[in-house]
């Protein structure tokens, strides 16, 4: 009986070997069928893109559009995985995470870049831009390129400057119309010396709070006011706690889209080109979308009868500019006037 089992096993082994030989000959004759999707996945490059705002904001929408364009332009060779709302890293952690290579792409606010490159404080100066044309000219022109090139020596590939919109003032306790209305109030800020000095000049007390903690801090009444864009105010529901909004357009909130430099340099040249093309298209779209979105969402906020909105008059704006003018002298003294002159005066 044992010999019969051994014989049967040998017959099966010979049969399987013959079948394998036939299959091998069949495939070598050019008859193999490849699963393109599975083959592509083995070579697919995955980019983790972390940011801290909601998906329905100008940055959130731009990140998603960029991911779609990259996948399309590379025929699926590159996949950008977008992680919004600080789900991977907070705005205080993301630059370090990028430098460590834990994530490949981020888009921090300009203010968060100032700790790495102090010259970027120029973008936090109040009343730097008069309108969206000023913003577009700066972000996509020579000044924008100069700022992005400063990132290179820090181990970062600067890809683009994205827009959120003009910043407005908010308060829990009273309207912020006259320069003395800020006195004695506590204001949430991003980590920027210029912004901190701005509120001190207005008589306020600045406190740094990361963006992902703002809503929670509002619930606990940990500060009295803040500056933010309409798109952030609307998407995060900040107006529920701070019903006094001043349309001041005093500052601008933008983002530096960046990639880990070592990762960028590891990419094939054709992939770098496709990513660059996708980024350029996305940036043009973002500049248009941010303006449109802030305008549309302001109209929605205006329909809320509990929100009190004040638009600065030209005279009121002039008083704000006069009070905050020392910031320009301070910046020029520390960094010179080249960047500032190119942004503000070379129209």
């Amino acid at each position: 009986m044992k010999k019969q089992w051994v014989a049967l096993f040998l017959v099966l082994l010979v049969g399987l070997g013959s079948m394998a030989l036939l299959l091998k000959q069949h495939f070598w004759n050019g008859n193999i069928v490849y699963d393109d999707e599975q083959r592509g996945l083995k070579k697919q490059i995955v980019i983790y893109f972390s940011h801290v705002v909601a998906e329905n904001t100008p940055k959130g929408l731009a990140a998603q559009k960029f991911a779609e364009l990259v996948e399309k332009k590379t025929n699926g060779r590159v996949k950008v995985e977008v992680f919004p709302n600080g789900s991977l890293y907070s705005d205080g952690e993301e630059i370090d995470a990028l430098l460590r290579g834990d994530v490949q792409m981020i888009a921090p606010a300009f203010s968060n870049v100032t700790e790495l490159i102090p010259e970027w404080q120029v973008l936090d100066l109040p009343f730097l831009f008069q309108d969206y044309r000023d913003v577009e000219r700066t972000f996509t022109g020579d000044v924008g390129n100069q700022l992005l090139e400063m990132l290179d020596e820090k181990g970062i590939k600067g890809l683009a400057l994205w827009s959120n919109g003009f910043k407005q003032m908010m308060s829990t306790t009273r309207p912020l119309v006259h320069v003395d209305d800020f006195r004695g109030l506590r204001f949430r800020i991003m980590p920027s010396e210029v912004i901190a000095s701005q509120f001190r000049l207005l008589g306020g007390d600045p406190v740094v709070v990361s963006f992902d903690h703002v809503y929670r801090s509002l619930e606990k009444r940990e500060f009295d006011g803040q500056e933010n864009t309409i798109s952030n105010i609307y998407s995060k529901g900040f107006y529920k706690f701070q019903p006094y909004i001043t349309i001041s357009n005093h500052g601008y909130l933008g983002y530096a889209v960046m990639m880990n430099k070592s990762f960028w340099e590891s990419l094939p040249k054709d992939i770098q080109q496709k990513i660059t093309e996708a980024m350029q298209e996305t940036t043009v779209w973002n500049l248009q979308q941010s303006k449109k979105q802030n305008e549309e969402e302001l109209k929605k906020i205006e329909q809320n009868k509990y929100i009190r909105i004040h638009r600065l008059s030209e005279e009121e704006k002039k008083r704000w500019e006069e009070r905050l003018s020392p910031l320009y002298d301070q910046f020029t003294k520390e960094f010179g006037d080249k960047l500032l002159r190119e942004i503000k005066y070379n129209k």
Side-chain angles (χ1 to χ4, degrees), residues 287-302:
L287 287 164
Q288 298 169 346
Q289 173 66 20
S290 59
K291 179 177 183 295
K292 176 184 176 183
Q293 189 166 349
N294 278 278
E295 290 171 348
E296 290 177 349
E297 291 177 352
L298 176 57
K299 292 177 181 177
K300 293 178 182 178
I301 291 176
E302 287 174 330

Side-chain angles (χ1 to χ4, degrees), residues 14-271:
V14 171
L16 288 172
S18 300
M19 184 179 293
L21 181 60
L22 288 172
L23 287 171
K24 182 178 180 181
Q25 291 174 342
H26 175 71
F27 289 155
W28 274 110
N29 287 333
N31 298 315
I32 189 167
V33 177
Y34 287 99
D35 185 334
D36 289 334
E37 183 177 355
Q38 291 302 316
R39 183 177 60 172
L41 285 174
K42 293 178 182 178
K43 300 179 180 179
Q44 190 176 61
I45 299 167
V46 179
I47 298 173
Y48 282 9
F49 187 169
S50 173
H51 68 80
V52 301
V53 300
E55 293 172 284
N56 60 338
T57 58
K59 178 165 67 172
L61 293 170
Q64 191 56 49
K65 184 174 184 64
F66 170 72
E68 293 168 359
L69 284 172
V70 167
E71 187 165 9
K72 181 180 178 181
K73 288 179 178 292
T74 63
N75 294 318
R77 286 178 63 194
V78 180
K79 183 174 181 59
V80 179
E81 294 278 3
V82 180
F83 296 87
N85 279 312
S87 56
L88 283 186
Y89 300 100
S90 70
D91 51 358
E93 301 169 332
E94 57 184 1
I95 290 181
D96 285 340
L98 182 81
L99 292 173
R100 291 194 306 267
D102 293 343
V103 65
Q104 289 75 48
M105 279 187 72
I106 59 173
F110 296 153
S111 300
N112 291 325
V113 182
T114 62
E115 294 184 315
L116 191 67
I117 305 176
E119 290 89 338
W120 277 60
Q121 292 180 61
V122 69
L123 297 172
D124 281 334
L125 288 169
F127 301 106
L128 183 68
F129 302 116
Q130 294 301 310
D131 52 37
Y132 281 98
R133 286 176 297 180
D134 275 357
V135 172
E136 182 174 355
R137 177 179 53 81
T138 299
F139 285 16
T140 61
D142 291 339
V143 173
N145 289 332
Q146 289 178 48
L147 291 167
L148 292 172
E149 287 171 2
M150 292 179 187
L151 296 167
D152 195 64
E153 62 184 36
K154 303 295 183 179
I156 294 170
K157 170 65 178 178
L159 296 174
L161 302 181
W162 280 358
S163 165
N164 184 311
F166 282 95
K167 291 188 286 188
Q168 322 302 341
M169 289 292 187
M170 302 185 72
S171 171
T172 305
T173 58
R174 60 176 180 256
L176 301 172
V177 178
H178 307 291
V179 289
D180 291 333
D181 292 335
F182 294 80
R183 193 170 301 280
L185 299 182
R186 190 171 172 85
F187 289 89
R188 176 266 169 176
I189 66 166
M190 292 183 284
S192 163
E193 283 300 317
V194 167
I195 295 177
S197 297
Q198 168 187 277
F199 281 104
R200 292 191 188 105
L201 284 170
L202 292 168
D205 179 21
V207 55
V208 174
V209 178
S210 63
F211 185 77
D212 54 317
H213 290 161
V214 170
Y215 193 92
R216 191 183 316 155
S217 296
L218 283 169
E219 288 181 315
K220 297 178 180 179
R221 300 180 181 275
E222 292 179 350
F223 56 85
D224 307 299
Q226 65 171 304
E227 58 175 13
N228 227 314
T229 63
I230 291 297
S231 67
N232 281 348
I233 292 169
Y234 182 78
S235 66
K236 287 295 187 180
F238 296 155
Y239 58 85
K240 298 174 185 176
F241 303 95
Q242 297 185 319
Y244 297 100
I245 301 177
T246 301
I247 305 302
S248 53
N249 292 337
H250 66 281
Y252 204 85
L253 178 58
Y255 308 105
V257 189
M258 51 180 69
M259 184 176 285
N260 177 281
K261 185 179 177 182
S262 296
F263 176 79
W264 170 262
E265 292 176 345
S266 73
L267 297 174
K269 294 297 182 183
D270 63 319
I271 293 296

